[in-house]
Amino acid sequence: MRLVPKTLFVAMLAATTALTAPSVALADAERLVVDLVNEPTTLDPHLQWNPDSYYVYRNIFDNLLTRDDEGQIVPQIATEWEQVSDTETVFTIRDDVLFHDGSPLTAEDVVFSVQRITDPEFGSPQLSQFESIIDAEVLEDGRVKLTTATGYPALFAQLVKLSIVPKAVVEDLGREAFNLAPVGSGPYRFDSWQRGVEVALVRNDDYWGDSGAFPAAVFRAVPDASTRVANLTSGASDLVVGMDPDLALQLEAADGVSPLSALTERVAYLSVNRAKPGLEDVRLRRAIAHAIDRELLIEGLLGGFDNPVGQMLTPAHVGWVEGLEGVPYDPDAARALIAEIGEPATRPLGFATSPVFDQRIVQAIQQMLGDVGLTLEIEMTDMATYLQKSQSAPEDAPDMGFGRWSCACQDADGVLYPLLHSSSSWSRVRDDDLDALLESARSEMDPDARQALYAQVHEWVATEVPQVPLYQAAILYGASDNLDWTPTSNESLFLNRMGWSE
Amino acid sequence: MSRFLARRLMQAVISVLGVTALIFFLQRLAGDPVLLLVSEGASQQAIDALRANLGFDRPVLVQFTDYMSDLARFDFGRSVVQQVPVVDIIGSRLPYTIWLAGVALLLALGVGAPLGVFMAMRRDHPLSRLGMGFVLAGQSLPTFWSGVLLILLFAVTLGWLPASGARETQSVILPAICLSLLSMATFARVTRTAVLDELSKPYIRAARAKGLSMGQVVRRHALRNSAIPVISIAALEIANLLSGAVIVETVFAWPGLGQLTIQSIAARDFPIVQAIVLLGAFVSIFLNLAADLLYSAVDPRIRLEGGK
């Protein structure tokens, strides 16, 4: 008996020859190819909160407001708005917007979108961002009135993420079908979704605004960073996300491609738990802050892309106060404080982290604190466990932790309230005066007065050191030199703001 | 034979039920996916609302009985992250994994087994030594590294093949080569040993004495007898190819079950992980059964317990 019949050999040979025929479809001028890390989880803009979905669906849907490339809040579906009282805002809605199915976008759709995302039973992962809205209604003159529970100056910063969905289509299709074939009013229409591979969009030529340079765009899921780099350098993609400083260097050296970077509204910080033994002493917390050389972290490990900060915000936030240095790098002062404390400073401190974060930074911090005589024990867990631990009561939470915070709203309220207010499960701080400050700042409608309140919060943080602000994180992309695009702080990939450079 | 089958099927049902319960409770020991889904700084009300919406606020035992009763109706639930029925997601991913593992198995057997026979017949040939070097390399190179090398050579430098995805037919070539390397080396090594073993037996000497050429001896006598270890290895290798696909699929962005498994575990998408584990349990039980049945087909001396 022959083990492998001759015909099978011939068939295999033929198959191999057929398969190796060169027909690698490269990116071309008609189609922009973007490599993401994962595919979107869902394309219903109200049903998820993760970057890979966000990159895609923001092109399919319009928002009530948006941010321009300078980060200013500007009209999108709402042309103008009027603050009727501290808690009521009335928006005028564009009358020339069509959904991709041809139906007009109306004030009813706007109200429906607000009601849908704020309905607790709907279970939107973004509920928290819009919770302050207690009522949405269409007025007799066709405008839309939004009412908040209290004065809420961050409302507009949140509304730049409120995607408007078509009421009739959502009600008709139901949750599942809408998720698989979303209908929006944005500059790009949903075309197809090959599960696990790619989502294809086509340009909406009936768009009311600028629909952009690319007739079509494809977002592909490529989990491995070196494979994304290979795709970019071989010309199979035009834009890749999720680059780190080492890969950026690699891209700088390659022909025809370059790294692109933007400073985001993500702030990297160390949390220091005041409820744990030894750390209740402010001197130890200050010593920790003194021991950290932000410049070295950025220049030595982060490729110089990031920006050191001395407050728990970034210049991209409302509430950022110019010129605050925070606790300066001063290892000698740290050593002196530790010597003064004596015995209680010798306890090894747990340092919570997750593989999501850059472990070189975590280890460098461990080293820096080691240099002034403190012992840090890195406690690495998966992200879900890390989040669970950071949600526990202060006395059960880790001694210290590394974090990168983004509220995606560029407003101090989205950072400082959850991290510092005693009612928040993300906070380990319990301080009545600080609570009062944060509450006033949350509802203060006068911008200058609000800024002054946040300056006091920054001062409190620099004195009490419940956190050590480290740096404003940069986001790194890789792009073909043919692509003309300037990334912005809000980490959106708006296709209609990109073009070909030739 | 039928008694053997019945007993094996009983064992299979018990194993699958055990695996289901184990994975269900183990996953929930670690918490739920709600915190991974909400936006940073989400209020407790928002977290509770989503938890209730996804049903994770119910006691674990209630969740388990609901899950089992759904399972009895072949309802595998919905992905908590993608909000789509699990069956649809797995159904869209499974063909890619089968296609990739199938091509890799063909490559591994088609190259590995003949190489093994050659190395056994011509032990001192320089190509045999090269073959042994290949076996060593194939067994020791980690796929995440050999994968990147393959991409650099064939996608970046030469530009012959796509580095990732599954858009074109030829997309499968690089991941299949990468995935098959280890199995190819295993097949070559096992085949070589098995053939060498047969060649040293007296009946081979008798066949040679009868005047048959070496090639005829190997083709007519030695190969069939050396097939037993290769078959048992093949069953193991299929399981290895499926689990090896986890890394290879990630490196090559191949949209199969392996990549889905990694992502679902990280995202704590319990219903998907449960369904994949169930599927894995079914496959490995079936493969073992198939290997047992094949032994008796190839070698009449082996009789299944309960048979005549």
Side-chain angles (χ1 to χ4, degrees):
Chain A
M1 184 199 107
R2 282 209 187 103
L3 199 68
V4 183
K6 213 179 258 171
T7 41
L8 183 60
F9 261 121
V10 175
M12 278 171 59
L13 196 69
T16 328
T17 335
L19 288 173
T20 42
S23 70
V24 182
L26 297 179
D28 54 44
E30 293 292 295
R31 198 173 69 126
L32 181 83
V33 179
V34 184
D35 281 1
L36 306 177
V37 180
N38 291 310
E39 67 175 339
T41 54
T42 88
L43 286 177
D44 183 327
H46 297 165
L47 269 183
Q48 65 352 75
W49 187 247
N50 59 71
D52 296 310
S53 305
Y54 187 77
Y55 290 141
V56 181
Y57 81 72
R58 298 211 78 183
N59 291 294
I60 304 175
F61 294 90
D62 280 323
N63 307 285
L64 197 57
L65 311 169
T66 191
R67 282 186 193 272
D68 62 15
D69 288 347
E70 280 70 50
Q72 296 304 312
I73 296 175
V74 293
Q76 195 167 38
I77 288 301
T79 51
E80 53 185 353
W81 48 91
E82 184 191 341
Q83 193 89 44
V84 183
S85 71
D86 275 1
T87 56
E88 292 167 312
T89 316
V90 175
F91 296 86
T92 309
I93 306 299
R94 292 191 79 94
D95 56 7
D96 58 348
V97 182
L98 294 178
F99 282 114
H100 299 150
D101 66 346
S103 62
L105 184 151
T106 64
E108 273 80 23
D109 296 308
V110 174
V111 168
F112 173 75
S113 302
V114 175
Q115 286 168 345
R116 185 173 189 246
I117 207 163
T118 53
D119 175 10
E121 287 205 358
F122 178 71
S124 170
Q126 301 167 38
L127 170 62
S128 197
Q129 304 174 18
F130 302 102
E131 250 175 344
S132 64
I133 305 173
I134 52 168
D135 191 38
E137 59 176 316
V138 182
L139 298 181
E140 278 175 11
D141 57 6
R143 295 191 297 165
V144 168
K145 186 171 92 177
L146 296 186
T147 311
T148 51
T150 59
Y152 185 56
L155 177 68
F156 299 114
Q158 302 289 15
L159 289 178
V160 300
K161 295 164 293 175
L162 181 75
S163 299
I164 309 301
V165 297
K167 180 177 187 224
V169 178
V170 172
E171 285 179 345
D172 184 37
L173 287 181
R175 190 162 163 153
E176 207 162 283
F178 185 71
N179 169 8
L180 294 175
V183 176
S185 62
Y188 280 78
R189 271 189 295 122
F190 171 78
D191 182 38
S192 63
W193 188 345
Q194 193 186 351
R195 281 270 158 189
V197 185
E198 61 186 34
V199 175
L201 307 182
V202 290
R203 187 169 58 200
N204 171 17
D205 288 321
D206 298 327
Y207 189 56
W208 58 271
D210 180 8
S211 56
F214 320 112
V218 176
F219 291 88
R220 309 191 300 185
V222 184
D224 192 78
S226 17
T227 312
R228 291 196 294 280
V229 169
N231 277 338
L232 184 67
T233 46
S234 65
S237 61
D238 304 297
L239 176 64
V240 300
V241 306
M243 295 289 99
D244 63 28
D246 293 338
L247 293 170
L249 278 179
Q250 211 175 313
L251 291 177
E252 254 162 30
D255 288 335
V257 297
S258 308
L260 296 179
S261 76
L263 286 167
T264 64
E265 49 94 55
R266 247 169 239 278
V267 56
Y269 65 98
L270 269 188
S271 58
V272 187
N273 189 349
R274 307 194 310 158
K276 301 300 280 256
L279 290 171
E280 73 277 275
D281 188 338
V282 69
R283 291 174 301 170
L284 183 55
R285 303 199 298 273
R286 285 192 76 82
I288 290 169
H290 276 310
I292 293 173
D293 185 351
R294 299 177 178 85
E295 299 285 350
L296 184 62
L297 291 178
I298 292 168
E299 293 306 321
L301 294 174
L302 296 169
F305 292 102
D306 305 55
N307 179 34
V309 292
Q311 53 192 295
M312 283 297 292
L313 289 183
T314 75
H317 285 91
V318 168
W320 167 261
V321 177
E322 225 30 85
L324 290 186
E325 204 197 332
V327 184
Y329 171 56
D330 187 349
D332 293 331
R335 283 188 201 98
L337 284 168
I338 289 165
E340 201 180 303
I341 300 164
E343 171 70 21
T346 55
R347 179 176 79 88
L349 300 169
F351 188 28
T353 176
S354 140
V356 172
F357 305 120
D358 188 339
Q359 293 314 302
R360 299 172 311 165
I361 297 287
V362 171
Q363 286 156 15
I365 290 169
Q366 183 188 35
Q367 174 79 45
M368 285 172 181
L369 294 188
D371 287 348
V372 298
L374 295 173
T375 313
L376 243 61
E377 286 169 355
I378 294 177
E379 295 165 359
M380 168 98 89
T381 56
D382 69 295
M383 193 59 187
T385 312
Y386 167 91
L387 289 172
Q388 227 159 344
K389 285 202 290 181
S390 60
Q391 283 260 306
S392 35
E395 44 288 355
D396 304 322
D399 294 321
M400 293 176 61
F402 177 78
R404 277 159 51 105
W405 192 270
S406 156
C407 66
C409 64
Q410 301 181 229
D411 189 282
D413 183 61
V415 184
L416 302 177
Y417 195 94
L419 279 177
L420 295 169
H421 194 277
S422 61
S423 72
S424 158
S425 50
W426 306 88
S427 162
R428 282 154 219 169
V429 178
R430 304 287 180 262
D431 187 287
D432 294 340
D433 296 339
L434 181 67
D435 283 353
L437 260 181
L438 289 165
E439 284 156 25
S440 330
R442 164 168 274 197
S443 55
E444 175 57 62
M445 298 303 284
D446 175 53
D448 293 334
R450 190 164 185 245
Q451 187 78 359
L453 289 168
Y454 280 125
Q456 290 182 56
V457 176
H458 298 317
E459 198 182 317
W460 192 93
V461 172
T463 316
E464 287 295 319
V465 205
Q467 284 115 14
V468 182
L470 298 174
Y471 52 87
Q472 175 182 21
I475 184 162
L476 296 173
Y477 308 90
S480 146
D481 287 344
N482 293 331
L483 187 73
D484 181 21
W485 176 55
T486 312
T488 61
S489 302
N490 63 30
E491 298 179 40
S492 292
L493 303 181
F494 289 119
L495 297 172
N496 62 343
R497 300 187 194 180
M498 303 175 183
W500 298 122
S501 55
E502 297 154 344
Chain B
M1 178 76 176
S2 53
R3 250 171 62 198
F4 167 80
L5 266 181
R7 217 186 63 198
R8 290 294 294 262
L9 281 176
M10 269 300 289
Q11 285 173 347
V13 170
I14 294 169
S15 315
V16 168
L17 282 178
V19 166
T20 310
L22 192 69
I23 192 73
F24 188 94
F25 289 107
L26 270 183
Q27 286 194 102
R28 275 151 183 87
L29 273 184
D32 64 39
V34 173
L35 289 176
L36 287 174
L37 293 171
V38 295
S39 52
E40 273 158 308
S43 63
Q44 198 56 47
Q45 298 90 293
I47 294 171
D48 293 343
L50 183 58
R51 187 165 280 142
N53 183 280
L54 296 173
F56 289 118
D57 58 337
R58 298 168 300 159
V60 177
L61 268 180
V62 174
Q63 292 181 41
F64 182 66
T65 46
D66 284 359
Y67 176 71
M68 290 310 279
S69 72
D70 286 347
L71 206 56
R73 294 188 299 262
F74 295 101
D75 176 358
F76 291 84
R78 294 157 64 91
S79 154
V80 297
V81 178
Q82 304 187 36
Q83 310 257 343
V84 176
V86 168
V87 175
D88 293 353
I89 296 176
I90 292 194
S92 68
R93 299 298 195 100
L94 186 60
Y96 286 105
T97 295
I98 293 177
W99 169 229
L100 174 63
V103 175
L105 183 68
L106 258 171
L107 268 174
L109 256 178
V111 177
L115 182 67
V117 174
F118 177 81
M119 288 192 300
M121 287 170 66
R122 309 283 297 274
R123 267 200 285 182
D124 297 322
H125 197 279
L127 279 179
S128 281
R129 299 230 175 84
L130 201 71
M132 283 311 283
F134 164 77
V135 168
L136 187 68
Q139 290 192 314
S140 38
L141 284 184
T143 46
F144 58 84
W145 190 69
S146 55
V148 173
L149 286 190
L150 286 171
I151 289 176
L152 278 181
L153 179 63
F154 292 104
V156 179
T157 311
L158 298 171
W160 290 354
L161 293 165
S164 73
R167 175 171 260 277
E168 300 98 16
T169 326
Q170 67 268 32
S171 298
V172 75
I173 297 175
L174 286 185
I177 292 176
C178 181
L179 182 58
S180 68
L181 282 180
L182 174 60
S183 301
M184 205 184 276
T186 311
F187 280 126
R189 189 173 50 80
V190 171
T191 313
R192 175 179 177 274
T193 318
V195 172
L196 274 180
D197 198 37
E198 285 306 314
L199 290 182
S200 67
K201 289 189 177 158
Y203 77 93
I204 296 286
R205 219 174 309 138
R208 285 301 300 270
K210 211 167 67 174
L212 291 178
S213 74
M214 190 61 181
Q216 285 170 319
V217 172
V218 169
R219 274 202 300 278
R220 291 195 191 159
H221 302 288
L223 273 192
R224 184 170 177 141
N225 287 326
S226 332
I228 297 276
V230 179
I231 288 172
S232 37
I233 286 292
L236 283 177
E237 282 309 308
I238 294 175
N240 279 344
L241 286 174
L242 290 174
S243 58
V246 171
I247 292 168
V248 173
E249 286 181 2
T250 304
V251 171
F252 291 92
W254 184 259
L257 275 189
Q259 211 198 103
L260 181 70
T261 310
I262 293 278
Q263 285 159 359
S264 305
I265 291 174
R268 297 205 174 171
D269 202 338
F270 296 161
I272 296 194
V273 178
Q274 274 151 215
I276 291 174
V277 170
L278 259 180
L279 186 69
F282 265 118
V283 170
S284 62
I285 288 165
F286 171 78
L287 283 179
N288 277 317
L289 192 61
D292 285 348
L293 295 175
L294 259 182
Y295 290 152
S296 77
V298 174
D299 187 344
R301 284 171 302 179
I302 300 177
R303 282 280 170 259
L304 298 174
E305 195 191 332
K308 297 263 158 73

